[in-house]
Amino acid sequence: MLPQERRILLPLDLRPVKTLEEYKALGGLLGLERARALSPPQVIDVVKQSGLRGRGGAGFPTGVKWQTLYDDPSTTKYVVCNAAEGEPGTYKDRYLLGKNPYRVLEGMLIAAHAMNATAAVIGIKKKFIHPVQRLSGAIAELEEAGLAAPGFLEIVLGPDDYLFGEEKALLEVIDGNDAMPRNFPPFFVGIRATPTERNPTLVNNVETMSHLPAIFAKGPQWFCSMGTRDTPGTVMITLSGDVQRPGIYELPAGLTLRELLYDVGGGPAGDQPFKAVFSGVSNAVILPKIFDTPLDFGSMRRAGAGLGSAGFIVYDASHCMVKIALMFSAFLAESSCGQCVPCKRGCRIITEHLDALEHGRGSQENVNDIFYESGHCTDQTRCFLPQQESTLTTSIMHSFPEDFKRHAQGQGCLGGREPILPKIEYFDEGAGRFIYEQRPIVILSRP
Ligand SMILES: Cc1cc2nc3c(=O)[nH]c(=O)nc-3n(C[C@H](O)[C@H](O)[C@H](O)COP(=O)(O)O)c2cc1C
Ligand code: SF4
C-alpha cells in the first residue's frame, strides 16, 4: 500500500470479502446496528454531521438530500443505489462491489431505515456480471441472517447506456422503460409511482452508500478527521491514461492532483510531459497550472474544473486536443437520448464541426460555430448531458488554441496519437492495467 492510501471502503489487504461472517469479523454490520437504534431524524443528523457529499459526480451534500426526502409528506418512499457506472475513466463502483458487496448493501439498509423505505433497489448494468453475482449472493446471506426482509433488497439490471446512470433515467429503467430521463427529479416522483402516490425516491451512488457503515460505526467526527472540511472522508479515485501506475486508489480527499499524478501514479508513462487531465466527461479540462489544487469538490470547482466521480484520464503531450475533443464530443452526441431537440441537434453539430477540423475539412468558421452551438445545445433540456458537451468542448478549445489553429488552417496536427475512449471494461489487478471497451468513434450524421 502506498503511504498516501487510506483504506476504509476497500479491504486493507485488497482481498475480496467472501462471506457475511467474514465481513462481520472485520467490523461490518455494526453501523447498521447503531443506525437502527436511532430514530430516522437522528440518523439524518449523523449523516449531516459527517459532511458526506455524494460521490456520483455532483458532490451534493448527502444529509441535505436525505432531509428533503424525509420532509416529504408521502407515505411511500424508496431508496435506490446507482451502480450504473458509465462515466468514461471510472471503475471504482464495480471495484468496490467486487471487493465487498456487503458494505454497499449495509449502507442501503441504513438509508432505508432513515427513509422508512418500502424497498431498496440497486440499479446496475446487466453486463457487470461479476458485481451482480456478488450482490445476489450477499443479498441472500443478509436475508438468511434476518438482516433484510426477503425481497426488500432488489437488483434491477439495466442497459449499457451512459444515460442509465443519470438519476432520472435510472428510475425510468427501474420502472421498466428505456434510459430516457424523465421530467421530475427522484425526490419528487420516484419509482413505481401511481396516479395517487408519487413515491419520492432517494438516489445515492455506490460509493456514497458504502461510506455510511463506517460513519455510523465510528462516528461522524472520525469521518471528518479525514479529507478536508469541504469534502470529509476518503475518495475512490480511478487513475487511467499516460501514467506509470494506473489503478484504483482510495485516498483522503484534499490530496493534490500533482501528488496523485506523481507520487501515486508514478509520473508520465513515456518521455512526454503531461498535457491535460479530464475528470470523466462532465467537467472542464484540467491543465498542469492547477495541478496543486486539492482534490475536493469545492477546490476543484473554484479552480474552474470539477472532481466529478474522481475518474482521472491523463494525456501527455503526444496527444492532439482536437482528436480528444472529437472523441469525447462524439461519445456525448451518441449518448444523447434525443428527447430534447437542442441537445440532440446541438451535440451532433458540435461533433460534426470537430470532425471536419480533425479531418482537414475545417476552418475558423467551424471553430466559431462550435462556440455558438455550445451556447444553445443546453436550452431547456431535461438533463445535464448537453451542459457536459458544452463545458468540455469549449474548455478544450480555450485551453489549446494552437491545436485548433493548426487544424483550422489545414496544417493538421503534430503527430497526435490515436486516443482510446477510456470506457473501462475491466481492471487487470495483477498487471495493473485497464482493459477498455474496443469501439470506434461513431459520428452521427445529419438525418
Ligand atoms: C449523463 C449523466 C450520467 C451519470 N452517470 C452516473 C453514474 O453512472 N453513476 C452515478 O452514481 N451517478 C451518475 N450520474 C449522477 C446521477 O444523476 C446522480 O446525481 C447521482 O447518482 C446521485 O448520487 P450521489 O448524491 O450519491 O452522488 C450521472 C449524471 C449524468 C448527468
Ligand atoms: S438533455 Fe439530451 S440526453 Fe438529456 S434528456 Fe434531453 S435529449 Fe436526452
Side-chain angles (χ1 to χ4, degrees):
M1 180 154 100
L2 296 167
Q4 295 82 0
E5 288 182 89
R6 179 91 200 257
R7 292 191 188 136
I8 309 292
L9 304 177
L10 289 171
L12 268 182
D13 57 5
L14 287 185
R15 286 220 323 267
V17 180
K18 292 252 172 61
T19 63
L20 187 61
E21 271 315 301
E22 201 187 317
Y23 180 52
K24 215 170 155 184
L26 293 168
L29 302 177
L30 181 62
L32 179 62
E33 194 185 315
R34 297 216 165 130
R36 281 181 172 168
L38 301 174
S39 66
Q42 287 172 323
V43 172
I44 294 169
D45 208 40
V46 170
V47 177
K48 280 186 187 163
Q49 284 174 44
S50 75
L52 177 64
R53 297 181 69 162
R55 303 293 202 248
F60 193 80
T62 308
V64 175
K65 189 186 271 191
W66 286 29
Q67 188 71 57
T68 308
L69 258 293
Y70 181 79
D71 290 343
D72 189 291
S74 299
T75 49
T76 329
K77 294 175 188 171
Y78 286 88
V79 162
V80 162
C81 179
N82 191 343
E85 193 162 70
E87 188 77 7
T90 306
Y91 192 77
K92 49 131 185 159
D93 293 341
R94 279 165 283 173
Y95 194 63
L96 281 176
L97 292 169
K99 294 288 179 197
N100 186 355
Y102 304 100
R103 190 176 277 279
V104 68
L105 294 170
E106 186 183 353
M108 287 170 67
L109 289 172
I110 293 172
H113 169 62
M115 298 300 132
N116 194 15
T118 301
V121 183
I122 183 159
I124 185 165
K125 291 202 171 100
K126 188 177 170 194
K127 72 172 203 173
F128 295 169
I129 293 167
H130 178 62
V132 171
Q133 280 170 348
R134 295 243 44 208
L135 280 168
S136 313
I139 290 174
E141 282 181 271
L142 285 162
E143 289 180 356
E144 176 82 9
L147 291 160
F152 183 82
L153 288 166
E154 296 175 42
I155 302 174
V156 171
L157 304 178
D160 183 18
D161 294 344
Y162 177 45
L163 268 188
F164 175 33
E166 198 281 336
E167 58 185 10
K168 298 192 295 305
L170 178 77
L171 298 199
E172 282 296 301
V173 170
I174 293 174
D175 280 344
N177 304 317
D178 289 341
M180 308 207 2
R182 57 175 65 164
N183 249 330
F184 293 110
F187 64 81
F188 191 68
V189 180
I191 55 172
R192 296 160 197 173
T194 65
T196 52
E197 295 286 348
R198 286 185 290 112
N199 298 351
T201 296
L202 175 77
V203 180
N204 276 129
N205 165 262
V206 167
E207 183 187 342
T208 315
M209 292 285 192
S210 298
H211 277 296
L212 296 165
I215 289 174
F216 282 86
K218 299 182 181 182
Q221 281 73 30
W222 165 83
F223 189 70
C224 291
S225 71
M226 295 171 294
T228 64
R229 246 178 102 100
D230 173 274
T231 308
T234 56
V235 178
M236 293 293 303
I237 290 180
T238 315
L239 182 62
S240 67
D242 300 330
V243 284
Q244 283 186 36
R245 280 195 294 268
I248 303 143
Y249 301 97
E250 184 175 359
L251 299 156
L255 185 95
T256 66
L257 194 56
R258 190 178 303 284
E259 287 165 327
L260 174 70
L261 295 175
Y262 289 90
D263 302 343
V264 177
D271 55 5
Q272 299 274 347
F274 293 132
K275 183 170 182 178
V277 177
F278 294 85
S279 51
V281 294
S282 305
N283 296 294
V285 58
I286 301 166
L287 301 179
K289 66 181 177 197
I290 64 159
F291 278 1
D292 291 313
T293 309
L295 292 176
D296 67 27
F297 286 104
S299 306
M300 288 298 281
R301 180 60 60 220
R302 283 190 295 279
L307 186 59
S309 51
F312 293 100
I313 310 159
V314 184
Y315 292 107
D316 69 18
S318 64
H319 285 282
C320 168
M321 285 298 139
V322 177
K323 267 192 208 301
I324 303 286
L326 170 62
M327 176 184 74
F328 287 143
S329 173
F331 169 73
L332 290 167
E334 197 198 349
S335 299
S336 166
C337 70
Q339 286 186 99
C340 320
V341 174
C343 168
K344 179 185 177 183
R345 184 186 160 280
C347 294
R348 174 176 49 73
I349 291 176
I350 292 170
T351 309
E352 283 176 355
H353 284 306
L354 288 167
D355 188 47
L357 285 164
E358 164 62 15
H359 293 104
R361 292 180 272 109
S363 67
Q364 185 58 35
E365 215 174 306
N366 297 88
V367 173
N368 299 344
D369 283 354
I370 295 173
F371 281 120
Y372 175 81
E373 290 296 339
S374 297
H376 292 281
C377 64
T378 54
D379 291 345
Q380 293 185 329
T381 49
R382 279 190 189 197
C383 84
F384 198 68
L385 183 134
Q387 186 61 56
Q388 297 176 212
E389 170 82 63
S390 170
T391 306
L392 192 65
T393 310
T394 56
S395 75
I396 300 174
M397 292 170 75
H398 281 304
S399 305
F400 300 99
E402 288 307 316
D403 289 17
F404 282 85
K405 200 168 148 197
R406 287 190 64 83
H407 279 265
Q409 292 176 346
Q411 295 165 351
C413 52
L414 297 164
R417 270 200 283 151
E418 216 43 62
I420 301 167
L421 180 70
K423 276 202 79 187
I424 301 172
E425 281 281 311
Y426 177 64
F427 179 54
D428 181 342
E429 230 168 329
R433 67 187 188 104
F434 291 106
I435 314 297
Y436 299 112
E437 196 176 281
Q438 293 298 326
R439 69 210 290 269
I441 296 175
V442 178
I443 313 290
L444 300 177
S445 50
R446 265 172 228 268

